[in-house]
Structure formats: C-alpha cells, structure tokens
Amino acid sequence: SQQGEEDPQALSIQEGENATMNCSYKTSINNLQWYRQNSGRGLVHLILIRSNEREKHSGRLRVTLDTSKKSSSLLITASRAADTASYFCATVANNDMRFGAGTRLTVKP
Amino acid sequence: EAQVTQNPRYLITVTGKKLTVTCSQNMNHEYMSWYRQDPGLGLRQIYYSMNVEVTDKGDVPEGYKVSRKEKRNFPLILESPSPNQTSLYFCASSRDRAYGYTFGSGTRLTVV
C-alpha cells in the first residue's frame, strides 16, 4: 500500500521555469526519498532526506521536509526539457519503504 | 558500471506457462526487491530479500516465487502466470533496506 501521496498528479511548465512537487504522508518516518522515472524505465534515486533534516540540495534540486505537517516538497529550478519524467516520493518507516503514485512532469521547450 | 540487470526486457506469454525473470546486481548489495508497477497503483512490492537464503513477502506476493541462492541474483518466478499479472516489473537493490535503491530497467510482461 502507498504511504506518500504526491501532488499534483501532473504538472506542465515551460523550460526555464521552476517545478514544485509535494508529497504528504501519514505516519512517522525515518527518511524520505525522491526518485525520477523516465517513461517505462527504472526509477533513479535523486535525493534522501532524513527525519531530522529540514532541507537538502543537490544541483538544481531542493528538497524540504516538514515532519510536523508530514509533508515534503521537491523543487527543480531552471527546468529543462530533459527533466520531463515522473517523480516519486518514497517514505521509509520501520525499514519499510513505500512509494507514492507519482507526479508526471512535462517541461515544454 | 554499477547496475541492476533484468532480463528479458519484454515478454509475452500464455496463461499457465511458467516463466522466470532474472535479476542480477554487481554492487554486492545485501538487500534486493521486486516491484510491479500498474497505472494508478504506483509501485507495489512483491517480495524482498535481506540476504542470501532470506526472503519475505511484500504487499502482493500471490502467484509469485523468488529465490536468493547467491548474493548477486534474485530471480522472480511465475509458476502459472495469469492475465492479471500483466504488468511492468522492476528489480531493485540496496546496501540497506532503508536507503537509496538502484533499479533495473524493467520487464514488461504480457500474459494472454
């Protein structure tokens, strides 16, 4: 069963704009991870944020975590057409990882 | 190159004909897992393995078998496939169950 729920389900933006995706979850977690999936391909691990961290950066990616609201956001800055993909959050609690249903991001050139 | 290799990439089979999807990783990871991905349902875990000879059921194990005789290999076996097992399957591995997973490229299975 899913733990995280991504919002929005789909997002369409122009190249150069920023993209923000959100993930909400229900139970306490140890860490939260974000993955990218290009159409029909395997998921690629992007970033992991631990429950005691509030923000992490990796290149053009910025992830925040608010454990009081049980939510996380993934910001992709200066988006490119190559960022077009589905993005999934995965929550880890008691060594059990659960994936959300994903946000489909389309970046138009 | 560190990777998880799944084979085959595509498979069309008939109901009841036993099949095996292979998965191999070259990262010496202890943890391996199988998922199926269906539209609107996200990724659902089928089976996982914490180490050699240690396997356990995930959320949707019915109709599947696995084995972990060697650290690097984790095959998924469908003894008698049915059309409701038509799906996109992924194998993943990690040094630890709670950390970043490396995924294979996927196996698209169609059972007719």
Side-chain angles (χ1 to χ4, degrees):
Chain A
S1 61
Q2 295 170 16
Q3 152 81 301
E5 290 187 14
E6 288 93 341
D7 171 62
Q9 289 187 332
L11 179 61
S12 182
I13 60 174
Q14 293 293 138
E15 208 164 27
E17 294 180 339
N18 295 341
T20 299
M21 287 157 271
N22 302 298
C23 173
S24 59
Y25 57 92
K26 295 185 175 65
T27 65
S28 296
I29 60 171
N30 302 114
N31 69 65
L32 185 144
Q33 303 173 34
W34 285 91
Y35 289 79
R36 184 187 75 236
Q37 182 183 33
N38 290 94
S39 182
R41 307 295 295 185
L43 280 71
V44 174
H45 183 256
L46 296 176
I47 199 165
L48 180 155
I49 186 164
R50 300 177 201 281
S51 60
N52 61 352
E53 297 175 313
R54 292 296 167 257
E55 187 171 313
K56 283 190 84 168
H57 298 255
S58 177
R60 293 184 295 113
L61 306 181
R62 173 179 168 245
V63 169
T64 61
L65 179 65
D66 187 334
T67 52
S68 66
K69 294 181 180 177
K70 291 186 169 57
S71 68
S72 172
S73 67
L74 170 67
L75 169 67
I76 304 174
T77 60
S79 64
R80 306 165 182 167
D83 294 327
T84 293
S86 292
Y87 292 83
F88 295 84
C89 71
T91 54
V92 177
N94 299 319
N95 277 332
D96 188 28
M97 184 179 290
R98 301 283 175 172
F99 289 85
T103 291
R104 175 70 190 165
L105 172 66
T106 302
V107 181
K108 300 174 188 174
Chain B
E1 180 189 352
Q3 60 185 357
V4 175
T5 303
Q6 279 180 245
N7 281 297
R9 184 84 174 87
Y10 299 93
L11 180 59
I12 300 174
T13 190
V14 297
T15 299
K17 185 176 181 182
K18 180 180 178 180
L19 66 92
T20 300
V21 184
T22 63
C23 174
S24 180
Q25 51 94 3
N26 62 0
M27 295 163 282
N28 202 37
H29 284 166
E30 294 193 347
Y31 182 78
M32 297 185 76
S33 181
W34 276 103
Y35 291 87
R36 60 178 290 174
Q37 185 177 30
D38 302 288
L41 296 177
L43 275 84
R44 294 180 292 169
Q45 191 176 50
I46 303 170
Y47 268 95
Y48 64 93
S49 170
M50 302 289 281
N51 212 326
V52 176
E53 301 294 1
V54 181
T55 64
D56 211 343
K57 296 177 181 178
D59 295 321
V60 287
E62 293 78 19
Y64 304 95
K65 284 175 57 176
V66 293
S67 68
R68 187 93 182 271
K69 294 187 172 63
E70 308 162 279
K71 200 171 189 179
R72 62 184 292 123
N73 296 324
F74 191 44
L76 179 69
I77 303 154
L78 285 72
E79 294 270 2
S80 182
S82 62
N84 65 9
Q85 293 178 298
T86 292
S87 187
L88 180 57
Y89 291 87
F90 290 102
C91 180
S93 75
S94 176
R95 65 177 177 87
D96 184 281
R97 189 177 178 185
Y99 292 94
Y101 289 5
T102 301
F103 279 81
S105 297
T107 295
R108 188 168 291 281
L109 172 66
T110 302
V111 184
V112 298

